[in-house]
Amino acid sequence: MTSAPITRLSISRPDDWHLHLRDGAMLRAVLPETARHFARALVMPNLVPPVVTAAQAGAYRDRILAALPEGAAFQPLMTLYLTEETDPADVARAHAQGIATAVKLYPAGATTNAASGVRDFDKVRPVLERMAEIGMPLCVHGEVTDPAVDIFDREAVFIDRVLKPIRRKVPGLRIVMEHVTTEDAVDFVRDTHKDLAATITTHHLIINRNHILAGGIRPHFYCLPVAKREKHRIALVQAAVSGDPRFFLGTDSAPHTDANKLLPCGCAGIFSATNTLSCLAEVFDAAGRLKDLEAFVSINGAKFYGLPRSDRKLTLVKGAPVAYPPQIETGDGPVTTFDPGFPLHWRVEA
Ligand code: DOR
Ligand code: ZN
């Protein structure tokens, strides 16, 4: 007997474990897009200047809370931007006082606003050791910046050159490899049984490098780490739908105005907050794994971060293709919404 296809799915309210909200007018425009569907989000600290100290994270959290739409029950979870000057005591205080959930490691120059990131990983060892003691996770942008390494290889090389040494030198440090894009990273996480997890973005489950480069260059698909070849996308989908608790959603929704994307040297970042859950339902449905969507978006990440899952629900309903705005207006100019390239039949019930 074949069961009837699922057309309605009620799950615990999702969390986004990797999100860029920016500040000011951009924050006010993009925050409602996430707050509408998500219970919590881990907010990235790569502002200008970056969110380095507990005091800065607390002030940024206050600005986010102040920008929330009336009545929204959304909780921002904050990260601290790791620099070579970061004070281990300040990090421990931020964690103890519930101001910061995690620390973010950007290799210096790896991506947008990563100039103050880490060059010499031994310099941050005292911070990492303190974090291991107190059980505070490190979120890692896993790409080397060595110009001699091909951009499509930078994640795989990072695993050998940086991640493995950190894990060896600071045992017990809990690490999240953010926005993994390769089969290499998926295999590394799968083969490592302790203190290591990975987030996967919505867009990396949907696009490969052809989408960016074949038949014309598409700046709105450019992000970092850049999407890789199809076999890697397939490995990411397999990891996401597997139910394996070490893989969970971090959208890396990263708004840039169209003016800043459509330049001779455009910014990296894909804005997917608006239609992320419809996109993900489509991916899991196509894989025949709708029943595993909740683990990926609502359960695995909360478990890793030691938080209860949301007690609120979110319902997805399948029907005629849903319309979503191709752009959202912000005080800084329009921001283009991620276009998955196929119709989205799953809508979030209001
Ligand atoms: O594409 C990206 N955009 N990757 C990052 O790591 C940073 C992000 C941003 O802040 O725009
Ligand atoms: Zn990011």
Side-chain angles (χ1 to χ4, degrees), residues 304-338:
F304 180 88
Y305 281 98
L307 295 168
R309 70 171 99 153
S310 174
D311 51 17
R312 290 181 297 144
K313 291 275 174 191
L314 177 126
T315 301
L316 287 148
V317 181
K318 190 175 186 180
V322 287
Y324 56 87
Q327 291 172 323
I328 65 157
E329 290 306 325
T330 80
D332 297 336
V335 168
T336 289
T337 312
F338 174 59

PDB file of all heavy atoms in Angstrom, residues 304-338:
ATOM      1  N   PHE A 304      22.584  20.714  19.445  1.00  0.00           N
ATOM      2  CA  PHE A 304      24.025  20.985  19.486  1.00  0.00           C
ATOM      3  C   PHE A 304      24.321  22.149  20.427  1.00  0.00           C
ATOM      4  O   PHE A 304      25.286  22.127  21.184  1.00  0.00           O
ATOM      5  CB  PHE A 304      24.563  21.294  18.080  1.00  0.00           C
ATOM      6  CG  PHE A 304      26.048  21.582  18.099  1.00  0.00           C
ATOM      7  CD1 PHE A 304      26.983  20.554  17.987  1.00  0.00           C
ATOM      8  CD2 PHE A 304      26.523  22.880  18.263  1.00  0.00           C
ATOM      9  CE1 PHE A 304      28.347  20.806  18.052  1.00  0.00           C
ATOM     10  CE2 PHE A 304      27.890  23.151  18.326  1.00  0.00           C
ATOM     11  CZ  PHE A 304      28.797  22.112  18.213  1.00  0.00           C
ATOM     12  N   TYR A 305      23.485  23.184  20.364  1.00  0.00           N
ATOM     13  CA  TYR A 305      23.724  24.366  21.196  1.00  0.00           C
ATOM     14  C   TYR A 305      23.147  24.218  22.613  1.00  0.00           C
ATOM     15  O   TYR A 305      23.175  25.164  23.393  1.00  0.00           O
ATOM     16  CB  TYR A 305      23.166  25.613  20.507  1.00  0.00           C
ATOM     17  CG  TYR A 305      24.107  26.121  19.421  1.00  0.00           C
ATOM     18  CD1 TYR A 305      23.908  25.811  18.084  1.00  0.00           C
ATOM     19  CD2 TYR A 305      25.221  26.889  19.759  1.00  0.00           C
ATOM     20  CE1 TYR A 305      24.782  26.257  17.101  1.00  0.00           C
ATOM     21  CE2 TYR A 305      26.104  27.344  18.783  1.00  0.00           C
ATOM     22  CZ  TYR A 305      25.877  27.025  17.460  1.00  0.00           C
ATOM     23  OH  TYR A 305      26.755  27.461  16.489  1.00  0.00           O
ATOM     24  N   GLY A 306      22.605  23.027  22.912  1.00  0.00           N
ATOM     25  CA  GLY A 306      22.138  22.769  24.270  1.00  0.00           C
ATOM     26  C   GLY A 306      20.886  23.547  24.635  1.00  0.00           C
ATOM     27  O   GLY A 306      20.672  23.878  25.799  1.00  0.00           O
ATOM     28  N   LEU A 307      20.054  23.823  23.638  1.00  0.00           N
ATOM     29  CA  LEU A 307      18.819  24.568  23.896  1.00  0.00           C
ATOM     30  C   LEU A 307      17.617  23.686  23.601  1.00  0.00           C
ATOM     31  O   LEU A 307      17.686  22.803  22.746  1.00  0.00           O
ATOM     32  CB  LEU A 307      18.765  25.814  22.993  1.00  0.00           C
ATOM     33  CG  LEU A 307      19.856  26.856  23.272  1.00  0.00           C
ATOM     34  CD1 LEU A 307      19.898  27.893  22.165  1.00  0.00           C
ATOM     35  CD2 LEU A 307      19.607  27.519  24.620  1.00  0.00           C
ATOM     36  N   PRO A 308      16.505  23.930  24.317  1.00  0.00           N
ATOM     37  CA  PRO A 308      15.297  23.175  23.969  1.00  0.00           C
ATOM     38  C   PRO A 308      14.796  23.636  22.609  1.00  0.00           C
ATOM     39  O   PRO A 308      15.023  24.782  22.229  1.00  0.00           O
ATOM     40  CB  PRO A 308      14.306  23.585  25.064  1.00  0.00           C
ATOM     41  CG  PRO A 308      14.789  24.912  25.552  1.00  0.00           C
ATOM     42  CD  PRO A 308      16.280  24.942  25.356  1.00  0.00           C
ATOM     43  N   ARG A 309      14.141  22.735  21.884  1.00  0.00           N
ATOM     44  CA  ARG A 309      13.553  23.212  20.625  1.00  0.00           C
ATOM     45  C   ARG A 309      12.379  24.119  20.938  1.00  0.00           C
ATOM     46  O   ARG A 309      11.842  24.102  22.046  1.00  0.00           O
ATOM     47  CB  ARG A 309      13.162  22.048  19.740  1.00  0.00           C
ATOM     48  CG  ARG A 309      11.996  21.256  20.242  1.00  0.00           C
ATOM     49  CD  ARG A 309      11.564  20.281  19.186  1.00  0.00           C
ATOM     50  NE  ARG A 309      12.108  18.959  19.454  1.00  0.00           N
ATOM     51  CZ  ARG A 309      11.522  17.833  19.053  1.00  0.00           C
ATOM     52  NH1 ARG A 309      10.433  17.864  18.318  1.00  0.00           N
ATOM     53  NH2 ARG A 309      12.028  16.664  19.352  1.00  0.00           N
ATOM     54  N   SER A 310      12.016  24.927  19.967  1.00  0.00           N
ATOM     55  CA  SER A 310      10.939  25.888  20.179  1.00  0.00           C
ATOM     56  C   SER A 310       9.649  25.153  20.522  1.00  0.00           C
ATOM     57  O   SER A 310       9.353  24.098  19.967  1.00  0.00           O
ATOM     58  CB  SER A 310      10.739  26.722  18.909  1.00  0.00           C
ATOM     59  OG  SER A 310       9.607  27.546  19.064  1.00  0.00           O
ATOM     60  N   ASP A 311       8.866  25.736  21.431  1.00  0.00           N
ATOM     61  CA  ASP A 311       7.578  25.096  21.726  1.00  0.00           C
ATOM     62  C   ASP A 311       6.483  25.642  20.807  1.00  0.00           C
ATOM     63  O   ASP A 311       5.332  25.241  20.900  1.00  0.00           O
ATOM     64  CB  ASP A 311       7.206  25.242  23.212  1.00  0.00           C
ATOM     65  CG  ASP A 311       7.288  26.675  23.688  1.00  0.00           C
ATOM     66  OD1 ASP A 311       7.305  27.592  22.823  1.00  0.00           O
ATOM     67  OD2 ASP A 311       7.355  26.902  24.912  1.00  0.00           O
ATOM     68  N   ARG A 312       6.853  26.557  19.912  1.00  0.00           N
ATOM     69  CA  ARG A 312       5.874  27.021  18.926  1.00  0.00           C
ATOM     70  C   ARG A 312       5.992  26.172  17.666  1.00  0.00           C
ATOM     71  O   ARG A 312       6.984  25.496  17.453  1.00  0.00           O
ATOM     72  CB  ARG A 312       6.113  28.498  18.598  1.00  0.00           C
ATOM     73  CG  ARG A 312       5.746  29.404  19.787  1.00  0.00           C
ATOM     74  CD  ARG A 312       5.953  30.865  19.449  1.00  0.00           C
ATOM     75  NE  ARG A 312       7.342  31.140  19.178  1.00  0.00           N
ATOM     76  CZ  ARG A 312       7.772  32.008  18.271  1.00  0.00           C
ATOM     77  NH1 ARG A 312       6.926  32.688  17.547  1.00  0.00           N
ATOM     78  NH2 ARG A 312       9.061  32.205  18.083  1.00  0.00           N
ATOM     79  N   LYS A 313       4.974  26.242  16.839  1.00  0.00           N
ATOM     80  CA  LYS A 313       4.919  25.409  15.629  1.00  0.00           C
ATOM     81  C   LYS A 313       4.956  26.259  14.380  1.00  0.00           C
ATOM     82  O   LYS A 313       4.656  27.457  14.402  1.00  0.00           O
ATOM     83  CB  LYS A 313       3.608  24.600  15.615  1.00  0.00           C
ATOM     84  CG  LYS A 313       3.547  23.529  16.681  1.00  0.00           C
ATOM     85  CD  LYS A 313       4.236  22.287  16.162  1.00  0.00           C
ATOM     86  CE  LYS A 313       4.341  21.230  17.251  1.00  0.00           C
ATOM     87  NZ  LYS A 313       5.222  20.131  16.855  1.00  0.00           N
ATOM     88  N   LEU A 314       5.294  25.614  13.279  1.00  0.00           N
ATOM     89  CA  LEU A 314       5.211  26.255  11.973  1.00  0.00           C
ATOM     90  C   LEU A 314       4.634  25.213  11.018  1.00  0.00           C
ATOM     91  O   LEU A 314       5.025  24.044  11.063  1.00  0.00           O
ATOM     92  CB  LEU A 314       6.603  26.693  11.518  1.00  0.00           C
ATOM     93  CG  LEU A 314       6.652  27.327  10.131  1.00  0.00           C
ATOM     94  CD1 LEU A 314       7.326  28.691  10.218  1.00  0.00           C
ATOM     95  CD2 LEU A 314       7.402  26.445   9.160  1.00  0.00           C
ATOM     96  N   THR A 315       3.688  25.645  10.198  1.00  0.00           N
ATOM     97  CA  THR A 315       3.038  24.695   9.292  1.00  0.00           C
ATOM     98  C   THR A 315       3.322  25.068   7.850  1.00  0.00           C
ATOM     99  O   THR A 315       3.189  26.231   7.455  1.00  0.00           O
ATOM    100  CB  THR A 315       1.516  24.654   9.554  1.00  0.00           C
ATOM    101  OG1 THR A 315       1.321  24.278  10.916  1.00  0.00           O
ATOM    102  CG2 THR A 315       0.819  23.661   8.650  1.00  0.00           C
ATOM    103  N   LEU A 316       3.731  24.065   7.093  1.00  0.00           N
ATOM    104  CA  LEU A 316       3.970  24.231   5.655  1.00  0.00           C
ATOM    105  C   LEU A 316       2.856  23.508   4.900  1.00  0.00           C
ATOM    106  O   LEU A 316       2.488  22.386   5.274  1.00  0.00           O
ATOM    107  CB  LEU A 316       5.320  23.644   5.273  1.00  0.00           C
ATOM    108  CG  LEU A 316       6.531  24.464   5.720  1.00  0.00           C
ATOM    109  CD1 LEU A 316       7.716  23.573   6.031  1.00  0.00           C
ATOM    110  CD2 LEU A 316       6.910  25.484   4.645  1.00  0.00           C
ATOM    111  N   VAL A 317       2.343  24.155   3.865  1.00  0.00           N
ATOM    112  CA  VAL A 317       1.233  23.588   3.110  1.00  0.00           C
ATOM    113  C   VAL A 317       1.615  23.573   1.632  1.00  0.00           C
ATOM    114  O   VAL A 317       2.142  24.555   1.098  1.00  0.00           O
ATOM    115  CB  VAL A 317      -0.049  24.437   3.296  1.00  0.00           C
ATOM    116  CG1 VAL A 317      -1.210  23.824   2.535  1.00  0.00           C
ATOM    117  CG2 VAL A 317      -0.385  24.564   4.768  1.00  0.00           C
ATOM    118  N   LYS A 318       1.351  22.435   0.967  1.00  0.00           N
ATOM    119  CA  LYS A 318       1.692  22.307  -0.452  1.00  0.00           C
ATOM    120  C   LYS A 318       0.493  22.644  -1.324  1.00  0.00           C
ATOM    121  O   LYS A 318      -0.616  22.176  -1.057  1.00  0.00           O
ATOM    122  CB  LYS A 318       2.152  20.885  -0.742  1.00  0.00           C
ATOM    123  CG  LYS A 318       2.747  20.697  -2.118  1.00  0.00           C
ATOM    124  CD  LYS A 318       3.292  19.288  -2.283  1.00  0.00           C
ATOM    125  CE  LYS A 318       4.017  19.148  -3.611  1.00  0.00           C
ATOM    126  NZ  LYS A 318       4.559  17.791  -3.780  1.00  0.00           N
ATOM    127  N   GLY A 319       0.716  23.444  -2.344  1.00  0.00           N
ATOM    128  CA  GLY A 319      -0.385  23.804  -3.237  1.00  0.00           C
ATOM    129  C   GLY A 319       0.154  24.443  -4.505  1.00  0.00           C
ATOM    130  O   GLY A 319       1.233  24.080  -4.988  1.00  0.00           O
ATOM    131  N   ALA A 320      -0.593  25.402  -5.034  1.00  0.00           N
ATOM    132  CA  ALA A 320      -0.152  26.119  -6.233  1.00  0.00           C
ATOM    133  C   ALA A 320       1.121  26.891  -5.907  1.00  0.00           C
ATOM    134  O   ALA A 320       1.358  27.242  -4.750  1.00  0.00           O
ATOM    135  CB  ALA A 320      -1.254  27.080  -6.665  1.00  0.00           C
ATOM    136  N   PRO A 321       1.969  27.130  -6.932  1.00  0.00           N
ATOM    137  CA  PRO A 321       3.233  27.830  -6.666  1.00  0.00           C
ATOM    138  C   PRO A 321       3.010  29.131  -5.891  1.00  0.00           C
ATOM    139  O   PRO A 321       2.071  29.878  -6.168  1.00  0.00           O
ATOM    140  CB  PRO A 321       3.773  28.116  -8.063  1.00  0.00           C
ATOM    141  CG  PRO A 321       3.202  27.025  -8.904  1.00  0.00           C
ATOM    142  CD  PRO A 321       1.831  26.735  -8.337  1.00  0.00           C
ATOM    143  N   VAL A 322       3.879  29.362  -4.893  1.00  0.00           N
ATOM    144  CA  VAL A 322       3.735  30.559  -4.064  1.00  0.00           C
ATOM    145  C   VAL A 322       4.522  31.706  -4.672  1.00  0.00           C
ATOM    146  O   VAL A 322       5.601  31.509  -5.236  1.00  0.00           O
ATOM    147  CB  VAL A 322       4.233  30.341  -2.614  1.00  0.00           C
ATOM    148  CG1 VAL A 322       3.283  29.487  -1.825  1.00  0.00           C
ATOM    149  CG2 VAL A 322       5.629  29.736  -2.579  1.00  0.00           C
ATOM    150  N   ALA A 323       3.952  32.883  -4.527  1.00  0.00           N
ATOM    151  CA  ALA A 323       4.656  34.074  -5.007  1.00  0.00           C
ATOM    152  C   ALA A 323       5.475  34.631  -3.843  1.00  0.00           C
ATOM    153  O   ALA A 323       5.049  34.589  -2.690  1.00  0.00           O
ATOM    154  CB  ALA A 323       3.646  35.096  -5.475  1.00  0.00           C
ATOM    155  N   TYR A 324       6.659  35.103  -4.146  1.00  0.00           N
ATOM    156  CA  TYR A 324       7.440  35.814  -3.128  1.00  0.00           C
ATOM    157  C   TYR A 324       8.033  37.035  -3.821  1.00  0.00           C
ATOM    158  O   TYR A 324       8.223  37.033  -5.051  1.00  0.00           O
ATOM    159  CB  TYR A 324       8.537  34.917  -2.536  1.00  0.00           C
ATOM    160  CG  TYR A 324       9.475  34.339  -3.580  1.00  0.00           C
ATOM    161  CD1 TYR A 324      10.599  35.042  -3.991  1.00  0.00           C
ATOM    162  CD2 TYR A 324       9.204  33.107  -4.180  1.00  0.00           C
ATOM    163  CE1 TYR A 324      11.441  34.532  -4.968  1.00  0.00           C
ATOM    164  CE2 TYR A 324      10.029  32.591  -5.159  1.00  0.00           C
ATOM    165  CZ  TYR A 324      11.157  33.308  -5.541  1.00  0.00           C
ATOM    166  OH  TYR A 324      11.967  32.810  -6.516  1.00  0.00           O
ATOM    167  N   PRO A 325       8.304  38.106  -3.077  1.00  0.00           N
ATOM    168  CA  PRO A 325       8.809  39.308  -3.732  1.00  0.00           C
ATOM    169  C   PRO A 325      10.204  39.070  -4.304  1.00  0.00           C
ATOM    170  O   PRO A 325      11.063  38.543  -3.600  1.00  0.00           O
ATOM    171  CB  PRO A 325       8.855  40.336  -2.595  1.00  0.00           C
ATOM    172  CG  PRO A 325       8.831  39.533  -1.331  1.00  0.00           C
ATOM    173  CD  PRO A 325       8.141  38.246  -1.629  1.00  0.00           C
ATOM    174  N   PRO A 326      10.425  39.395  -5.573  1.00  0.00           N
ATOM    175  CA  PRO A 326      11.759  39.195  -6.153  1.00  0.00           C
ATOM    176  C   PRO A 326      12.815  40.083  -5.491  1.00  0.00           C
ATOM    177  O   PRO A 326      14.005  39.756  -5.525  1.00  0.00           O
ATOM    178  CB  PRO A 326      11.578  39.566  -7.623  1.00  0.00           C
ATOM    179  CG  PRO A 326      10.306  40.328  -7.705  1.00  0.00           C
ATOM    180  CD  PRO A 326       9.463  39.927  -6.539  1.00  0.00           C
ATOM    181  N   GLN A 327      12.362  41.169  -4.898  1.00  0.00           N
ATOM    182  CA  GLN A 327      13.280  42.053  -4.173  1.00  0.00           C
ATOM    183  C   GLN A 327      12.572  42.539  -2.928  1.00  0.00           C
ATOM    184  O   GLN A 327      11.356  42.630  -2.906  1.00  0.00           O
ATOM    185  CB  GLN A 327      13.608  43.294  -5.002  1.00  0.00           C
ATOM    186  CG  GLN A 327      14.447  43.028  -6.218  1.00  0.00           C
ATOM    187  CD  GLN A 327      14.560  44.276  -7.071  1.00  0.00           C
ATOM    188  OE1 GLN A 327      13.607  45.037  -7.190  1.00  0.00           O
ATOM    189  NE2 GLN A 327      15.717  44.478  -7.657  1.00  0.00           N
ATOM    190  N   ILE A 328      13.351  42.870  -1.901  1.00  0.00           N
ATOM    191  CA  ILE A 328      12.741  43.629  -0.813  1.00  0.00           C
ATOM    192  C   ILE A 328      13.360  45.023  -0.810  1.00  0.00           C
ATOM    193  O   ILE A 328      14.517  45.210  -1.184  1.00  0.00           O
ATOM    194  CB  ILE A 328      12.881  42.951   0.565  1.00  0.00           C
ATOM    195  CG1 ILE A 328      14.344  42.862   1.000  1.00  0.00           C
ATOM    196  CG2 ILE A 328      12.256  41.567   0.592  1.00  0.00           C
ATOM    197  CD1 ILE A 328      14.469  42.733   2.509  1.00  0.00           C
ATOM    198  N   GLU A 329      12.556  45.975  -0.416  1.00  0.00           N
ATOM    199  CA  GLU A 329      13.043  47.364  -0.349  1.00  0.00           C
ATOM    200  C   GLU A 329      13.719  47.572   1.000  1.00  0.00           C
ATOM    201  O   GLU A 329      13.231  47.121   2.025  1.00  0.00           O
ATOM    202  CB  GLU A 329      11.870  48.331  -0.508  1.00  0.00           C
ATOM    203  CG  GLU A 329      11.268  48.342  -1.909  1.00  0.00           C
ATOM    204  CD  GLU A 329      12.302  48.602  -3.005  1.00  0.00           C
ATOM    205  OE1 GLU A 329      13.255  49.390  -2.765  1.00  0.00           O
ATOM    206  OE2 GLU A 329      12.181  48.001  -4.097  1.00  0.00           O
ATOM    207  N   THR A 330      14.838  48.235   0.986  1.00  0.00           N
ATOM    208  CA  THR A 330      15.489  48.618   2.239  1.00  0.00           C
ATOM    209  C   THR A 330      15.815  50.112   2.125  1.00  0.00           C
ATOM    210  O   THR A 330      15.825  50.661   1.020  1.00  0.00           O
ATOM    211  CB  THR A 330      16.807  47.852   2.469  1.00  0.00           C
ATOM    212  OG1 THR A 330      17.862  48.467   1.702  1.00  0.00           O
ATOM    213  CG2 THR A 330      16.689  46.382   2.086  1.00  0.00           C
ATOM    214  N   GLY A 331      16.083  50.738   3.253  1.00  0.00           N
ATOM    215  CA  GLY A 331      16.445  52.152   3.223  1.00  0.00           C
ATOM    216  C   GLY A 331      17.730  52.398   2.441  1.00  0.00           C
ATOM    217  O   GLY A 331      18.022  53.524   2.040  1.00  0.00           O
ATOM    218  N   ASP A 332      18.503  51.341   2.200  1.00  0.00           N
ATOM    219  CA  ASP A 332      19.761  51.482   1.459  1.00  0.00           C
ATOM    220  C   ASP A 332      19.611  51.151  -0.018  1.00  0.00           C
ATOM    221  O   ASP A 332      20.571  51.269  -0.789  1.00  0.00           O
ATOM    222  CB  ASP A 332      20.833  50.553   2.058  1.00  0.00           C
ATOM    223  CG  ASP A 332      21.168  50.915   3.502  1.00  0.00           C
ATOM    224  OD1 ASP A 332      20.958  52.080   3.890  1.00  0.00           O
ATOM    225  OD2 ASP A 332      21.630  50.027   4.241  1.00  0.00           O
ATOM    226  N   GLY A 333      18.421  50.675  -0.440  1.00  0.00           N
ATOM    227  CA  GLY A 333      18.203  50.264  -1.833  1.00  0.00           C
ATOM    228  C   GLY A 333      17.671  48.841  -1.848  1.00  0.00           C
ATOM    229  O   GLY A 333      17.653  48.167  -0.815  1.00  0.00           O
ATOM    230  N   PRO A 334      17.217  48.372  -3.040  1.00  0.00           N
ATOM    231  CA  PRO A 334      16.626  47.033  -3.113  1.00  0.00           C
ATOM    232  C   PRO A 334      17.651  45.916  -2.901  1.00  0.00           C
ATOM    233  O   PRO A 334      18.815  46.062  -3.259  1.00  0.00           O
ATOM    234  CB  PRO A 334      16.045  46.976  -4.528  1.00  0.00           C
ATOM    235  CG  PRO A 334      16.688  48.077  -5.288  1.00  0.00           C
ATOM    236  CD  PRO A 334      17.144  49.101  -4.297  1.00  0.00           C
ATOM    237  N   VAL A 335      17.160  44.816  -2.309  1.00  0.00           N
ATOM    238  CA  VAL A 335      17.963  43.602  -2.115  1.00  0.00           C
ATOM    239  C   VAL A 335      17.227  42.475  -2.813  1.00  0.00           C
ATOM    240  O   VAL A 335      16.027  42.273  -2.586  1.00  0.00           O
ATOM    241  CB  VAL A 335      18.103  43.275  -0.607  1.00  0.00           C
ATOM    242  CG1 VAL A 335      18.683  41.885  -0.401  1.00  0.00           C
ATOM    243  CG2 VAL A 335      18.963  44.325   0.095  1.00  0.00           C
ATOM    244  N   THR A 336      17.913  41.754  -3.681  1.00  0.00           N
ATOM    245  CA  THR A 336      17.271  40.685  -4.445  1.00  0.00           C
ATOM    246  C   THR A 336      17.154  39.402  -3.622  1.00  0.00           C
ATOM    247  O   THR A 336      18.098  38.994  -2.954  1.00  0.00           O
ATOM    248  CB  THR A 336      18.044  40.424  -5.756  1.00  0.00           C
ATOM    249  OG1 THR A 336      17.822  41.542  -6.618  1.00  0.00           O
ATOM    250  CG2 THR A 336      17.577  39.153  -6.450  1.00  0.00           C
ATOM    251  N   THR A 337      15.963  38.798  -3.707  1.00  0.00           N
ATOM    252  CA  THR A 337      15.676  37.540  -3.013  1.00  0.00           C
ATOM    253  C   THR A 337      16.259  36.375  -3.811  1.00  0.00           C
ATOM    254  O   THR A 337      16.217  36.392  -5.052  1.00  0.00           O
ATOM    255  CB  THR A 337      14.146  37.339  -2.924  1.00  0.00           C
ATOM    256  OG1 THR A 337      13.558  38.550  -2.451  1.00  0.00           O
ATOM    257  CG2 THR A 337      13.767  36.213  -2.004  1.00  0.00           C
ATOM    258  N   PHE A 338      16.739  35.365  -3.128  1.00  0.00           N
ATOM    259  CA  PHE A 338      17.258  34.158  -3.780  1.00  0.00           C
ATOM    260  C   PHE A 338      16.195  33.543  -4.697  1.00  0.00           C
ATOM    261  O   PHE A 338      15.066  33.298  -4.278  1.00  0.00           O
ATOM    262  CB  PHE A 338      17.676  33.146  -2.702  1.00  0.00           C
ATOM    263  CG  PHE A 338      18.098  31.820  -3.252  1.00  0.00           C
ATOM    264  CD1 PHE A 338      19.160  31.724  -4.152  1.00  0.00           C
ATOM    265  CD2 PHE A 338      17.440  30.657  -2.875  1.00  0.00           C
ATOM    266  CE1 PHE A 338      19.563  30.495  -4.659  1.00  0.00           C
ATOM    267  CE2 PHE A 338      17.836  29.413  -3.377  1.00  0.00           C
ATOM    268  CZ  PHE A 338      18.891  29.332  -4.268  1.00  0.00           C
TER     269      PHE A 338
END
